[in-house]
Amino acid sequence: IKRRVHGSDGTKKKEVFTVQKLEHEMLTQYERFLQLLRKLSRRNHPEQQALGSRLCAKLVGVASEFNHSDRLLILAVDYANNKVTRVAQPCQEALAELLDGQMITEATDHIVGAILAIVKKQSYAVNLKILNILLHLRVAMVDMHRKDLTEEKAKEKKMKKEDKELARQMQKSKARRDRAELASKQTTIIHRLFVVYLRILEAAKSCSKQHQARILAPCLEG
C-alpha cells in the first residue's frame, strides 16, 4: 500500500510541475504580447497602431483576469489618447464599456491614474474624447450605516441564539469594512478627477478662445 501511495504522490507532483511549467510559459508569452502592443503603439504608421489598439481592446474587458492588468489598462489609455480616430476608438469604447459594467475597482483606479499621468505630462494636449471615458465612472455616495443588502441571515434553524447574533455582527462588521474601503477608494479617485479637470482648465488659459471653448465643454460636463 505504501508503494502505491508513493507512486500516486509522484504522479501528482509531476502533474503539478507540468501545470506550473505551462502557466509559466503562458505568462511569458503574454508578457511578450504586451511588449508587442507597446511597440505597435509607438509605430508611425496609423494602420499598425490601429491593429495594436484593436488587439488591446479585446483584452480590456477581462483585464482583471490577467497578470499585469495595470500595464494593459495603461496601454489601453495610451491608445485611446491617440489623435487618429481609427486608432483611438477601439480602446475608447472598450474602456467605457468596462467602466459601465462595474463599480469602483482597481481597474478604475488604473484608468483614472493613467489619464491623470497623461494630463500631467502633456497638460491640455490630450484627445478630448478621452475625457468622455471619465463620464462612465460609477461613483456614488456610500452610506456607512445602511443595512447591507447582501447580509445573509443564519439559515440553520438549530443554531443557538448567541451564534446567530455573533454571525450577524460579524457579517455587519465585514459589510462596514467593505464600504469603508470603497469610500476611501472613491475619495482618492474623485480627487484625481478634480486634478485632471483643473489642470486641463488651467493649461487652457494660454489657448485661443476657440480652443478654450472646445476644452471647456467636456470638462464642465465631467
Side-chain angles (χ1 to χ4, degrees):
I1 297 175
K2 289 183 179 180
R3 288 180 180 177
R4 290 181 180 178
V5 172
H6 179 72
S8 178
D9 288 345
T11 302
K12 288 182 178 180
K13 288 181 179 179
K14 185 176 180 180
E15 291 176 351
V16 170
F17 175 76
T18 302
V19 172
Q20 290 176 339
K21 185 178 179 181
L22 178 61
E23 289 176 344
H24 175 72
E25 181 62 24
M26 291 176 64
L27 179 59
T28 301
Q29 295 299 328
Y30 172 64
E31 290 174 340
R32 290 175 180 172
F33 180 67
L34 288 180
Q35 292 175 3
L36 173 62
L37 292 180
R38 172 61 67 186
K39 290 179 181 179
L40 288 173
S41 71
R42 294 173 178 174
R43 294 290 175 85
N44 294 326
H45 201 289
E47 289 301 328
Q48 293 178 329
Q49 292 179 338
L51 173 61
S53 180
R54 291 194 299 271
L55 292 173
C56 185
K58 293 289 185 182
L59 296 177
V60 167
V62 290
S64 60
E65 305 296 328
F66 289 89
N67 294 67
H68 310 305
S69 60
D70 55 335
R71 288 171 56 187
L72 176 60
L73 292 172
I74 291 172
L75 185 56
V77 171
D78 285 341
Y79 273 116
N81 189 49
N82 197 289
K83 295 180 180 180
V84 181
T85 300
R86 66 177 179 275
V87 177
Q89 190 170 7
C91 280
Q92 287 175 357
E93 293 176 350
L95 290 169
E97 184 177 352
L98 175 66
L99 295 177
D100 276 335
Q102 62 184 9
M103 295 297 291
I104 297 300
T105 62
E106 291 297 325
T108 310
D109 194 27
H110 294 322
I111 293 171
V112 175
I115 294 175
L116 175 59
I118 290 175
V119 171
K120 284 182 175 180
K121 184 178 180 180
Q122 303 181 17
S123 297
Y124 64 89
V126 297
N127 185 336
L128 294 181
K129 289 186 177 180
I130 203 174
L131 297 180
N132 293 333
I133 295 174
L134 299 177
L135 300 178
H136 294 267
L137 290 176
R138 298 179 62 186
V139 180
M141 296 298 294
V142 180
D143 186 355
M144 297 299 298
H145 304 289
R146 175 182 60 82
K147 182 179 179 180
D148 196 80
L149 297 177
T150 61
E151 182 177 346
E152 296 182 1
K153 297 180 180 179
K155 296 181 180 180
E156 294 292 337
K157 294 182 179 179
K158 295 182 180 180
M159 184 182 288
K160 294 181 180 179
K161 183 177 180 181
E162 293 81 2
D163 292 336
K164 287 184 179 181
E165 179 62 21
L166 177 60
R168 189 184 70 81
Q169 291 295 336
M170 289 179 66
Q171 185 66 30
K172 185 176 181 180
S173 176
K174 179 181 181 300
R176 287 195 173 184
R177 286 199 306 273
D178 291 343
R179 286 197 291 271
E181 291 176 2
L182 176 60
S184 176
K185 189 172 294 185
Q186 286 197 156
T187 300
T188 300
I189 289 175
I190 291 173
H191 171 74
R192 288 181 173 181
L193 286 175
F194 272 101
V195 174
V196 167
Y197 290 125
L198 291 175
R199 275 181 172 267
I200 291 177
L201 291 173
E202 181 65 26
K205 291 180 179 180
S206 59
C207 301
S208 65
K209 294 294 183 180
Q210 183 179 3
H211 199 64
Q212 284 182 7
R214 290 180 57 202
I215 295 173
L216 188 61
C219 286
L220 290 180
E221 185 178 2

